[in-house]
Amino acid sequence: QKEVEQDPGPLSVPEGAIVSLNCTYSNSAFQYFMWYRQYSRKGPELLMYTYSSGNKEDGRFTAQVDKSSKYISLFIRDSQPSDSATYLCAMRENDYKLSFGAGTTVTVRA
Amino acid sequence: DGGITQSPKYLFRKEGQNVTLSCEQNLNHDAMYWYRQDPGQGLRLIYYSQIVNDFQKGDIAEGYSVSREKKESFPLTVTSAQKNPTAFYLCASSIDFNEQFFGPGTRLTVL
């Protein structure tokens, strides 16, 4: 069993829809949770990071963490074609090592 | 502009060859990392360095080597001992544990 599971998709939505992305994990020691966006053939860029359970909002993006269920989510409201990318969840304990999900590829259709 | 640069963008290796991937950062970050990305898999950590002249193996260090002689530079050598080196290689740096900033990547192909 992988330490971090992420549905690979692909996910295709019309412009303006809400995109919902999820990851589950097995290591209860994870404390810090991140979402990265990766455009094709580029390096990932950090979108959101949260500590412990709860919600965090940044513009059209909302990150949720539910530590009791070992489940994290990213929501993208009013999706745009420019949001078409692969989204990677990542998490860590209190050290340098990040554990990544496999990534979900999202296409937003104009 | 501050950032991380990787070169070359594309690299082709013959069987039995060693190749070196370059990673440079001008963000004044202490920590640097090398990851490997394969289709359908998450990023896997090859090596990381928290400070100059010190580095630690990640999850898949076999067949790779690194050096950290300068704060700005963290080159990765893919040796002939790495049996399946075709992948997308990403370098990252951070000033603390959380925000790892990634370079644009090098795509290595074995001929």
Side-chain angles (χ1 to χ4, degrees):
Chain A
Q1 183 189 6
K2 290 182 180 178
E3 201 170 38
V4 180
E5 298 277 1
Q6 183 174 6
D7 185 349
L11 196 59
S12 179
V13 300
E15 184 174 356
I18 295 175
V19 176
S20 174
L21 303 166
N22 310 296
C23 288
T24 59
Y25 61 95
S26 57
N27 184 354
S28 57
F30 285 143
Q31 299 181 43
Y32 300 89
F33 304 90
M34 283 136 275
W35 286 95
Y36 283 84
R37 177 175 63 195
Q38 185 177 23
Y39 291 114
S40 182
R41 298 186 179 86
K42 303 290 185 184
E45 56 179 326
L46 182 67
L47 274 179
M48 305 278 285
Y49 86 83
T50 55
Y51 170 69
S52 198
S53 287
N55 292 1
K56 183 174 182 179
E57 190 172 314
D58 184 2
R60 297 185 295 111
F61 298 91
T62 300
Q64 286 186 351
V65 174
D66 182 349
K67 290 191 71 179
S68 62
S69 302
K70 299 191 181 68
Y71 188 89
I72 69 170
S73 300
L74 178 72
F75 299 96
I76 308 173
R77 292 184 298 281
D78 188 24
S79 57
Q80 305 295 311
S82 58
D83 295 326
S84 298
T86 297
Y87 291 82
L88 302 159
C89 64
M91 48 199 78
R92 65 171 185 84
E93 301 178 33
N94 192 25
D95 60 18
Y96 281 92
K97 185 179 180 300
L98 284 178
S99 295
F100 283 85
T104 301
T105 299
V106 174
T107 300
V108 180
R109 308 185 307 271
Chain B
D1 287 337
I4 302 175
T5 57
Q6 290 186 243
S7 62
K9 188 173 182 179
Y10 299 97
L11 186 57
F12 298 91
R13 192 193 94 167
K14 295 180 181 178
E15 294 282 349
Q17 257 185 347
N18 292 355
V19 291
T20 297
L21 284 60
S22 169
C23 177
E24 303 277 333
Q25 55 99 357
N26 61 4
L27 300 168
N28 200 32
H29 288 173
D30 287 316
M32 297 187 74
Y33 315 80
W34 274 105
Y35 291 91
R36 170 180 171 141
Q37 187 174 31
D38 295 281
Q41 297 193 41
L43 277 65
R44 292 183 290 167
L45 184 64
I46 304 172
Y47 270 97
Y48 68 99
S49 168
Q50 298 179 38
I51 198 168
V52 174
N53 292 323
D54 186 50
F55 47 82
Q56 289 78 41
K57 293 182 179 180
D59 298 321
I60 56 166
E62 186 176 349
Y64 300 97
S65 66
V66 294
S67 63
R68 187 83 187 277
E69 297 176 1
K70 298 187 300 182
K71 187 175 184 177
E72 304 79 21
S73 177
F74 192 39
L76 173 75
T77 296
V78 184
T79 75
S80 57
Q82 171 50 239
K83 296 307 179 189
N84 186 24
T86 295
F88 190 47
Y89 290 87
L90 289 158
C91 178
S93 71
S94 70
I95 199 165
D96 59 23
F97 290 166
N98 282 316
E99 296 202 42
Q100 291 188 19
F101 293 87
F102 284 84
T106 292
R107 188 165 298 277
L108 174 62
T109 303
V110 174
L111 300 175

